[in-house]
Amino acid sequence: MAPKKPGVKGKKRKGGTCALACFAVLTYIVAIVLGVFVALGCINSSSTIKGVYIAELHTNDTYDFSLRFGYFGGCVTVTQPSMETSSSGNRSSRIATNCLVSLRDQDLADVSESLWEGLDLNSRSTTDYVQDQLNTTLPIIDHLQDDVFHWPVPVIHVALFTLSGAMLFAARAGSSGRRAWKGVLVLILVLSAFSLALSLATALGTLSSMNAILEGSLSRDELEIGDGLYLSRGNTLQVMQTGLVVVVTLFYVFMGVLFAQRTTEGVPFIQMFQSARAGWR
């Protein structure tokens, strides 16, 4: 007697499971990358990491000074006139940037010295100007990092998400008939819930804190806090934090569907969803 060939429904179900698994792996990787960028932004002078920051303190005068900071590090950028003159007789400007991995728990005088010494400034007047601006802005950033934007929240989220995701993949491949499997699944659900909650807390906390600091709503991006000194929000970081919440949520949804497919209790829900989707077409 010839073996039965798998039906069309079986092939569709297998193909759907493979697609869900691929989406789950993709969202898992993307969420980890986003989480790392959010937590470790502004620790390096590369354009990608330097552009991910919580807020920026800057001036718009002779040297265009700016100091950006993340949960750990910070980057100072100064636009200074070049000592070389072009053929047309005009002097071009030169942009110098220096970043520190961490501004936390350090003497502000040492931080200031490390920042301006790495800029390779071309004149004494520029050096004096940068030193004065650092003496003004570093205490503000020190207060914001210590009292407003706490680093453990995004870091713990990345750790919990990485752990819970790896455990979900391992549990999905394991046997659901064992007693220990259900206990492990409960632990994974707890870790996943905390991970999702922390990603949401990071995004909402940064958004609400910046709104309060800027004395306005989301539409306000900049506030003058001193004589020619402005504070502006890091829009790139906030977009990444929102995207992180979305991607983390999608990952847990995909994994939930994959787990429901392998249990008898979850089959009716999957069939109901497939019937509803067929009716919408």
Side-chain angles (χ1 to χ4, degrees), residues 112-182:
S112 176
E113 185 177 357
S114 299
L115 284 172
W116 69 259
E117 281 186 344
L119 290 173
D120 190 23
L121 301 174
N122 55 21
S123 68
R124 183 61 195 177
S125 60
T126 307
T127 302
D128 292 340
Y129 173 83
V130 171
Q131 287 177 332
D132 289 341
Q133 293 300 326
L134 287 173
N135 291 336
T136 302
T137 55
L138 281 175
I140 299 173
I141 290 177
D142 183 61
H143 161 64
L144 292 175
Q145 282 190 331
D146 286 345
D147 302 325
V148 181
F149 303 102
H150 305 288
W151 66 265
V153 180
V155 172
I156 294 175
H157 157 71
V158 174
L160 288 182
F161 177 78
T162 304
L163 178 61
S164 64
M167 293 176 69
L168 278 171
F169 285 124
R172 177 63 175 78
S175 174
S176 60
R178 298 178 180 178
R179 288 185 178 180
W181 186 84
K182 292 185 178 180

Side-chain angles (χ1 to χ4, degrees), residues 41-280:
C42 214
I43 64 170
N44 189 276
S45 59
S46 67
S47 58
T48 303
I49 299 178
K50 183 180 68 175
V52 181
Y53 57 91
I54 297 173
E56 175 186 30
L57 291 163
H58 63 93
T59 62
N60 294 320
D61 49 25
T62 307
Y63 300 104
D64 287 342
F65 168 92
S66 76
L67 182 58
R68 299 172 174 179
F69 68 95
Y71 288 97
F72 291 96
C75 294
V76 60
T77 300
V78 179
T79 303
Q80 53 184 333
S82 176
M83 301 302 292
E84 300 178 356
T85 305
S86 64
S87 57
S88 61
N90 297 323
R91 284 190 176 183
S92 59
S93 58
R94 184 173 68 90
I95 299 176
T97 300
N98 185 34
C99 299
L100 294 181
V101 174
S102 178
L103 305 180
R104 291 179 174 274
D105 301 325
Q106 299 187 52
D107 183 73
L108 294 183
D110 294 337
V111 172
S112 176
E113 185 177 357
S114 299
L115 284 172
W116 69 259
E117 281 186 344
L119 290 173
D120 190 23
L121 301 174
N122 55 21
S123 68
R124 183 61 195 177
S125 60
T126 307
T127 302
D128 292 340
Y129 173 83
V130 171
Q131 287 177 332
D132 289 341
Q133 293 300 326
L134 287 173
N135 291 336
T136 302
T137 55
L138 281 175
I140 299 173
I141 290 177
D142 183 61
H143 161 64
L144 292 175
Q145 282 190 331
D146 286 345
D147 302 325
V148 181
F149 303 102
H150 305 288
W151 66 265
V153 180
V155 172
I156 294 175
H157 157 71
V158 174
L160 288 182
F161 177 78
T162 304
L163 178 61
S164 64
M167 293 176 69
L168 278 171
F169 285 124
R172 177 63 175 78
S175 174
S176 60
R178 298 178 180 178
R179 288 185 178 180
W181 186 84
K182 292 185 178 180
V184 171
L185 192 57
V186 171
L187 175 62
I188 295 173
L189 290 175
V190 172
L191 294 177
S192 302
F194 274 108
S195 171
L196 181 57
L198 287 175
S199 68
L200 188 61
T202 302
L204 292 179
T206 303
L207 180 62
S208 60
S209 297
M210 285 307 304
N211 287 344
I213 292 170
L214 295 176
E215 301 177 358
S217 62
L218 183 60
S219 59
R220 186 168 189 175
D221 292 332
E222 189 175 83
L223 176 70
E224 185 174 7
I225 60 174
D227 186 16
L229 180 63
Y230 298 86
L231 187 145
S232 58
R233 71 170 81 236
N235 289 316
T236 300
L237 178 71
Q238 293 188 350
V239 170
M240 293 179 67
Q241 288 176 335
T242 303
L244 178 62
V245 174
V246 173
V247 175
V248 168
T249 302
L250 287 175
F251 169 74
Y252 288 131
V253 169
F254 290 146
M255 292 304 299
V257 174
L258 287 172
F259 270 90
Q261 283 182 339
R262 64 172 292 174
T263 61
T264 55
E265 295 86 353
V267 170
F269 294 99
I270 299 299
Q271 291 176 344
M272 185 188 308
F273 172 76
Q274 291 174 343
S275 300
R277 187 178 63 176
W280 292 337

